[in-house]
Amino acid sequence: MISRKSREEIKLMRHAGHIVALVHQKMKEVIEPGISTKELDEIAHQVIRENRAIPTFLGYQGFPGCICASINEQVVHGIPNENVKLKEGDIIAVDVGATYRGLVGDSAWSYAVGKIDEDKQRLMKATEEALYAGIDKMRIDNVLDDISGAVEDVANSYGFGIVRQYGGHGVGHNMHEEPFLFNYRVGDKTIIKQGYAIAIEPMLNLGGDEVSVADDEWTVSTVDGKPSAHFEHTVIATEDGPLITTKLME
Ligand code: MG
Ligand code: MG
């Protein structure tokens, strides 16, 4: 069953999402050549703690970090590591979750490290565009396939690969709730109702669709070794349209 969030739950999700947005604001400031993904993880942990929230990812199915840090051909679920330092020209996707009074915010963003090439610029632009195209379909009485199709159409217009094995998901008291949301059309006619909360998260590849999991059992990378980008917001369907919870509150 897909839960419908109450007014109170939405309030707490916005608070959790605000904290996630604060982490991303900080990431944008500190990401530069030379910093390790472990340092990024520690900075994220500090922001979450200072705001009296819990890092949702830490310990989730045994995951050892507060963020997932996925560089270049890595798609998602990269483990923070003191020996992995960012280099000029990299792109890094940082995914982070915060739980505030039991409610979760989940958001990922891809960042350029210094100056990046045109291919990576286009990939990041397309993936962010796909995210917002999807968000715009998160409206009462639309169906889930409307979101999936909007993401797919943007990816196709750029000729980029779409990661098939991972996708968006319901979010609320748990990071992963029903429904699963594909990033391409599957014919899911589930009607979106007021109060549904979904993490919409396109993962697009410069090359083909195929990805595989590393021996660490977490890190997902493209099979052809080409770069991948990931953008994600937690979004609630409201009477006033899509409400992005994972942004800074005014
Ligand atoms: Mg996420
Ligand atoms: Mg997610």
Side-chain angles (χ1 to χ4, degrees), residues 57 95-97 106-108 169 175-176 199 201 230 232:
F57 295 5
D95 196 349
V96 60
D106 181 12
S107 170
H169 50 90
M175 177 163 57
H176 293 125
E201 49 179 316
H230 182 205
E232 174 186 34

Side-chain angles (χ1 to χ4, degrees), residues 12 33 50 68 73 80 98 125 129 148 155 164 167 170-171 189 211 220:
L12 292 174
E50 277 170 5
C68 296
E73 77 284 359
K125 179 172 175 281
E129 199 178 310
S148 304
R164 308 273 158 173
V171 54
K189 299 299 180 199
V211 298
V220 177

Side-chain angles (χ1 to χ4, degrees), residues 70-76 91-94 108-111 119-128 160-161 163 183 201-206 222 226-232:
S70 310
I71 299 171
N72 296 333
E73 77 284 359
Q74 296 174 352
V75 180
V76 286
I91 55 171
I92 177 173
V94 175
W109 215 254
S110 293
Y111 299 93
D119 278 347
K120 284 175 174 168
Q121 283 176 36
R122 267 184 85 242
L123 178 64
M124 294 219 307
K125 179 172 175 281
T127 312
E128 186 177 350
F160 291 147
V163 175
N183 284 317
E201 49 179 316
M203 290 150 250
L204 302 189
N205 300 338
L206 191 64
T222 59
K226 291 188 179 170
S228 184
H230 182 205
F231 287 82
E232 174 186 34

